[in-house]
Amino acid sequence: MRTTLKLTAAVAAAAALTLGLSACSAPSDTSSGSGKKGKDADPAAKLVVAASPTPHADILNFVREKLAKDAGLNLEVKEFNDYVLPNTATQNGDVDANFFQHKPYLDDFNKKNKTDIVPVVNVEIEPLGLYSKKDKKVGDLGSGSTIAVPNDATNEGRALKLLADNGVIKLKAGVGAEAKLSDIEDKKGVEFTELEAAQIPSRLADVDAAVINGNFAIGAKLNPAKDSLALEKAEGNPYANFLAVKKGNEGDPRIAKLVKLLNSDEVKKFIEQKFSDGAVIPAFGTPKS
């Protein structure tokens, strides 16, 4: 989810998006056409997956065009331009699965909407990065430096963890990506400016450094691979984007085929080549519960 999966300041209000996003691409055929689901599904039946356009549909379309036929998978990709309908369509059975979100978002969505969608396999992550127009390396930041961070709970926690992982600050023991400013044990003289995530790139020159979401970095013509002082790591990151299904459909034989393809060497190479700027990086494996 380009993180917003990209879920910048809107995680907590996600359920309200349905009313405001008329540009979504709803399926032209509300039935997935797959008949039985779960372990009893016909392995040859069409598998319909909802996805946001980039990078999720890009990855799925690569699988559909290059890999699915040889694997005996009849894959259809339905693109959506919001973060609510893919989950409601999956819950209702209008599609068989979705690929657009990370675990903190899904947990919040399930809780608020009383849905029971579960992650199946991690695919990629759109990392937060630390950027500066004044300093050349992380070690240049210290006492007296001002760092801008997103002011929403999800991304601020990620930002503080990134800074702590790179020695800029020290968080209290046991605190991770859910950190708040009050969880900083040692600021090491750093001052923080809290801004809406979307505003941070335009304010980069006003601070010594800033933590910026991957999608906003690209929009500001920042290259995560070349311009960032530090990037989130993919391994073990709770913000990996995954394939998800309604609970009970994890054993669908078509899902098993897609899982294998999404974590294949071919997909890894595709992501690394298409998103060579580092805005999207492979993050394969089983999602944490």
Side-chain angles (χ1 to χ4, degrees):
M1 198 179 219
R2 191 169 287 190
T3 194
T4 45
L5 198 156
K6 294 180 210 138
L7 298 172
T8 53
V11 174
L17 289 174
T18 307
L19 297 176
L21 291 169
S22 59
C24 61
S25 301
S28 58
D29 179 356
T30 56
S31 171
S32 70
S34 57
K36 292 183 178 180
K37 300 180 185 293
K39 61 183 179 62
D40 297 323
D42 179 357
K46 181 185 295 182
L47 181 73
V48 182
V49 182
S52 53
T54 299
H56 310 90
D58 294 332
I59 295 169
L60 287 169
N61 283 325
F62 170 78
V63 170
R64 179 179 58 82
E65 295 167 6
K66 303 295 184 181
L67 306 175
K69 184 177 180 181
D70 288 344
L73 177 64
N74 183 3
L75 178 63
E76 180 178 344
V77 182
K78 293 284 188 181
E79 294 189 17
F80 290 77
N81 285 317
D82 80 43
Y83 307 133
V84 175
L85 288 177
N87 274 336
T88 57
T90 302
Q91 181 73 23
N92 296 337
D94 293 336
V95 300
D96 300 299
N98 67 57
F99 174 35
F100 77 102
Q101 63 192 319
H102 54 51
K103 190 68 163 50
Y105 176 77
L106 177 60
D107 288 347
D108 183 73
F109 187 95
N110 278 336
K111 181 178 180 180
K112 290 181 175 179
N113 295 279
K114 296 182 173 27
T115 48
D116 56 353
I117 298 166
V118 295
V120 180
V121 67
N122 289 338
V123 181
E124 52 83 18
I125 185 170
E126 296 138 27
L128 286 178
L130 176 65
Y131 299 86
S132 176
K133 289 186 177 295
K134 301 176 181 179
D135 297 314
K136 301 299 183 183
K137 59 183 185 297
V138 173
D140 293 336
L141 297 169
S143 182
S145 296
T146 300
I147 301 177
V149 295
N151 64 1
D152 62 283
T154 299
N155 287 300
E156 183 168 85
R158 293 175 70 184
L160 295 178
K161 185 177 186 302
L162 176 65
L163 294 172
D165 287 345
N166 286 276
V168 178
I169 60 172
K170 182 179 180 181
L171 294 174
K172 295 176 182 177
V175 177
E178 74 286 357
K180 303 181 291 293
L181 289 179
S182 59
D183 293 315
I184 300 176
E185 182 176 290
D186 185 359
K187 289 186 177 181
K188 301 185 180 181
V190 171
E191 298 296 327
F192 289 95
T193 297
E194 296 177 279
L195 299 168
E196 289 187 11
Q199 296 178 354
I200 294 179
S202 65
R203 297 285 300 277
L204 182 56
D206 300 330
V207 294
D208 294 294
V211 180
I212 302 175
N213 293 78
N215 57 309
F216 293 130
I218 295 301
K221 300 189 184 306
L222 294 169
N223 183 314
K226 296 179 180 179
D227 298 331
S228 65
L229 305 185
L231 278 176
E232 281 182 319
K233 295 180 180 178
E235 186 176 354
N237 193 306
Y239 295 94
N241 289 190
F242 46 65
L243 182 73
V245 299
K246 184 177 180 179
K247 188 175 182 179
N249 293 338
E250 303 95 311
D252 190 315
R254 301 166 301 162
I255 293 294
K257 291 179 182 179
L258 182 55
V259 164
K260 186 175 181 180
L261 296 178
L262 284 173
N263 273 195
S264 66
D265 290 340
E266 291 88 345
V267 167
K268 181 176 184 292
K269 184 177 180 180
F270 171 77
I271 294 173
E272 291 173 340
Q273 290 182 342
K274 183 171 181 63
F275 304 101
S276 58
D277 58 7
V280 181
I281 55 179
F284 293 171
T286 303
K288 292 184 179 181
S289 59

